[in-house]
């Protein structure tokens, strides 16, 4: 906002404020002055990116988080992330990477909701018009026990539930539900939140193998043909 004008600008613009003086008591304004300031306007966007099987029974689950300041002055924020996956999805490890200026880090401690919140940055300065991007990765294992003995889950994978609109619209405890939070005034409370949810690339394969040539019993030297059918 431009505070250099000698006359008031339109009301309702940023933090525009003006004073008026009546010096002779006639009820008319004899002199006035105005000034204007701005506030930061920090917004948050959380997006599920992918869940990739690594071949060792684990999956890498990736999210993007974008923090932007659409206000007129710099602000600051503390960014945290809370995974609240289906209770049969066990988190083995986690960490994040940011823009070059923010580096990255490895998450430590308990991942179990509601105490599983992970802090990425604290009191991070963001300039007016700036955008900070982060990539968050969790390595997970899906633990489903056929005998129902899973101590942490119910042995039933529940896919994502709820909408995927901006804000908190999904259902914690389903799929790969994940929520990001911003504290923009330093009071320790969340001021802006956004969530997203994805699912593990699960499939149920069946395998059938049949002999399709010749007649049993076979003799040495006979050619034998097999047909293998894989069904998803």
């Amino acid at each position: 906002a431009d505070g250099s004008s000698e006359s008031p600008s339109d009301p309702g613009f940023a933090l525009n404020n003006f004073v008026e003086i009546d010096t002779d008591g006639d009820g008319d304004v004899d002199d006035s002055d105005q000034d204007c300031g701005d506030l930061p306007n920090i917004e948050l966007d959380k997006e599920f990116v992918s869940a990739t099987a690594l071949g060792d029974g684990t999956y890498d689950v990736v999210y993007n988080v974008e923090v932007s300041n659409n206000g007129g002055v710099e602000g600051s924020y503390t960014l945290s992330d809370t995974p609240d996956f289906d209770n049969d999805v066990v988190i083995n490890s986690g960490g994040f990477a940011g823009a070059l200026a923010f580096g990255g880090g490895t998450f430590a401690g308990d991942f179990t909701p509601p105490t599983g919140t992970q802090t990425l940055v604290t009191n991070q300065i963001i300039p007016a018009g700036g955008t900070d991007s982060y990539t968050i990765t969790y390595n997970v294992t899906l633990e489903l026990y056929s005998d129902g003995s899973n101590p942490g889950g119910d042995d039933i994978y529940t896919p994502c539930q709820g909408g995927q609109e901006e804000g908190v619209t999904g259902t914690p405890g389903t799929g790969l539900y994940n929520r990001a939070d911003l504290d923009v005034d330093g009071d320790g409370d969340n001021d802006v939140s956004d969530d997203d949810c994805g699912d593990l690339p699960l499939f149920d394969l069946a395998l059938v193998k049949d002999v399709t040539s010749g007649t049993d019993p076979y003799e040495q030297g006979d050619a034998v043909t097999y047909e293998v059918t894989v069904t998803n």
Side-chain angles (χ1 to χ4, degrees):
D2 184 359
S4 63
S5 173
E6 292 296 329
S7 61
S9 61
D10 292 337
F13 180 72
L15 299 178
N16 181 59
N17 184 273
F18 63 93
V19 295
E20 299 173 331
I21 299 177
D22 174 10
T23 60
D24 53 14
D26 63 358
D28 296 327
V29 176
D30 299 303
D31 197 6
S32 66
D33 194 11
Q34 65 90 218
D35 204 353
C36 188
D38 278 304
L39 289 172
N41 181 34
I42 301 178
E43 298 182 347
L44 173 68
D45 184 57
K46 175 70 173 285
E47 300 288 345
F48 170 78
V49 177
S50 62
T52 304
L54 300 185
D56 59 356
T58 70
Y59 302 82
D60 270 353
V61 181
V62 181
Y63 305 84
N64 281 343
V65 174
E66 188 172 275
V67 182
S68 58
N69 181 6
N70 299 319
V73 295
E74 74 174 24
S76 67
Y77 64 88
T78 295
L79 173 63
S80 60
D81 189 78
T82 303
D84 198 346
F85 303 159
D86 174 272
N87 58 12
D88 295 294
V89 178
V90 176
I91 299 176
N92 304 312
S93 61
F96 73 96
L100 183 60
F102 310 111
T106 300
F107 297 144
D110 188 8
F111 291 102
T112 305
T115 60
T117 297
Q118 311 295 320
T119 300
L120 281 72
V121 291
T122 302
N123 297 326
Q124 178 65 47
I125 300 298
I126 182 170
T131 298
D132 297 340
S133 297
Y134 301 87
T135 299
I136 299 172
T137 303
Y138 291 100
N139 179 261
V140 305
T141 302
L142 179 62
E143 294 188 351
L144 300 177
Y145 294 76
S146 59
D147 60 0
S149 63
N150 189 349
D154 58 7
D155 295 315
I156 300 173
Y157 176 79
T158 303
C160 289
Q161 305 290 324
Q164 300 302 315
E165 303 299 324
E166 291 300 314
V168 178
T169 59
T171 303
T174 65
L176 300 172
Y177 175 89
N178 187 273
R179 190 189 78 243
D181 299 291
L182 289 179
D183 174 12
V184 298
D185 55 13
D187 65 354
D189 296 326
N190 297 327
D191 302 298
V192 184
S193 299
D194 193 21
D195 65 6
D196 204 359
C197 189
D199 281 304
L200 292 174
L202 301 178
F203 45 85
D204 185 11
L205 297 182
L207 175 66
V208 177
K209 183 174 183 179
D210 294 308
V211 177
T212 59
S213 67
T215 303
D216 192 17
Y218 298 98
E219 296 182 359
Q220 185 171 350
D222 287 348
V224 181
T225 304
Y226 299 88
E227 179 179 81
V228 178
T229 303
V230 180
T231 303
N232 184 2

